Amino acid sequence: MEHFIRVYQLFSFYGQLLTEKQRLAVEWYFGHDLSLAEIASELGISRQAVHDLLKRAEQTLTAYEEKLGLAESYARRQEQLAKLDQLLKQLRDDEADPRWQQVFALLAELSK
Amino acid sequence: MEHFIRVYQLFSFYGQLLTEKQRLAVEWYFGHDLSLAEIASELGISRQAVHDLLKRAEQTLTAYEEKLGLAESYARRQEQLAKLDQLLKQLRDDEADPRWQQVFALLAELSK
């Protein structure tokens, strides 16, 4: 399961770099939990071809992460933003001050 | 000049995705302002080959930006962080409070 989540997370960063067929297969297999047989019938290719497609896509996603590390820097940024959020909630003196509201709106934007 | 800066900026995001030769050529041409002739002699290839190498590298960098948009989201994030920094400097009540120091240290980290 953890592996599924990992691949799907990498897909959210690098999905645009896959071929259309790879994208569909990954989306269906890792995102919507379709079986190899279902995807095979959907794409009009063999079960083995779907297997290869997914394997290749996974290798591509992993290779991009090794080179660009977007998932890693995203995780680090989320951690820093969570700390910032916690600190600022302690330091906030007046919840009604619109500037504080702007601060937390910006934090929410940055967490996307 | 603006074009030089743009290519070099994209290179800072996607340089790892170029070939070793492309990386060197871009680094020298756009980063260190070497001439085509100098790079040609350094790499032991023709001036025309360096030209093609650079053209190809630029196309690759631009294509990745079109798909992943890292330079664009970086710029947007920097803008949001600058606003946050400005707001927090107004709201900071006690510069000596170590929590405020932590806040600005985290902002600096996030701006990298």
Side-chain angles (χ1 to χ4, degrees):
Chain A
M1 194 57 207
E2 212 173 288
H3 173 71
F4 263 61
I5 295 171
R6 174 67 177 164
V7 175
Y8 204 57
Q9 192 207 17
L10 294 182
F11 178 65
S12 75
F13 289 103
Y14 306 109
Q16 290 307 314
L17 302 175
L18 298 178
T19 66
E20 176 66 14
K21 258 193 187 165
Q22 285 178 327
R23 233 185 344 260
L24 286 171
V26 170
E27 180 72 48
W28 291 338
Y29 189 71
F30 292 98
H32 302 271
D33 210 22
L34 262 64
S35 70
L36 292 184
E38 286 169 315
I39 299 171
S41 130
E42 203 61 54
L43 292 178
I45 58 179
S46 70
R47 234 178 128 279
Q48 181 59 40
V50 177
H51 181 268
D52 294 348
L53 205 58
L54 288 170
K55 194 161 189 75
R56 187 66 188 279
E58 213 182 302
Q59 283 166 350
T60 302
L61 295 173
T62 308
Y64 277 117
E65 176 62 9
E66 269 164 26
K67 288 186 173 169
L68 298 183
L70 295 185
E72 199 188 319
S73 46
Y74 178 79
R76 196 173 50 243
R77 205 159 58 237
Q78 291 305 105
E79 223 177 89
Q80 292 166 332
L81 285 167
K83 272 190 213 160
L84 197 53
D85 184 79
Q86 208 187 358
L87 278 164
L88 291 173
K89 277 179 182 147
Q90 290 172 22
L91 289 161
R92 175 175 55 184
D93 46 4
D94 175 8
E95 286 207 26
D97 186 329
R99 289 173 307 175
W100 276 113
Q101 290 169 15
Q102 245 185 297
V103 163
F104 286 98
L106 278 165
L107 275 186
E109 276 299 312
L110 282 159
S111 300
K112 274 176 194 164
Chain B
M1 193 58 206
E2 212 173 288
H3 174 71
F4 264 62
I5 294 171
R6 173 68 177 163
V7 175
Y8 204 57
Q9 193 208 17
L10 293 181
F11 178 66
S12 75
F13 288 104
Y14 306 109
Q16 290 307 314
L17 303 176
L18 298 179
T19 66
E20 175 66 14
K21 259 194 184 163
Q22 285 177 328
R23 237 190 334 266
L24 286 171
V26 170
E27 180 71 49
W28 290 336
Y29 189 72
F30 292 97
H32 302 256
D33 210 21
L34 261 65
S35 70
L36 291 184
E38 286 168 314
I39 298 170
S41 131
E42 202 61 52
L43 293 178
I45 57 180
S46 71
R47 232 178 131 282
Q48 181 60 40
V50 177
H51 181 267
D52 294 347
L53 205 58
L54 287 169
K55 192 158 190 77
R56 186 66 187 278
E58 214 183 302
Q59 283 167 351
T60 302
L61 295 173
T62 308
Y64 277 117
E65 176 63 9
E66 269 164 26
K67 288 185 173 171
L68 297 183
L70 294 185
E72 199 188 318
S73 46
Y74 178 79
R76 196 174 49 241
R77 206 159 55 238
Q78 292 305 106
E79 224 177 86
Q80 292 166 332
L81 285 166
K83 273 190 212 160
L84 197 53
D85 184 79
Q86 209 188 355
L87 277 164
L88 291 173
K89 276 177 182 147
Q90 289 173 22
L91 289 162
R92 176 174 55 183
D93 46 5
D94 175 10
E95 286 208 25
D97 187 329
R99 288 173 307 176
W100 276 114
Q101 289 170 15
Q102 248 185 295
V103 163
F104 286 97
L106 278 165
L107 275 187
E109 276 298 312
L110 281 159
S111 300
K112 275 176 195 164

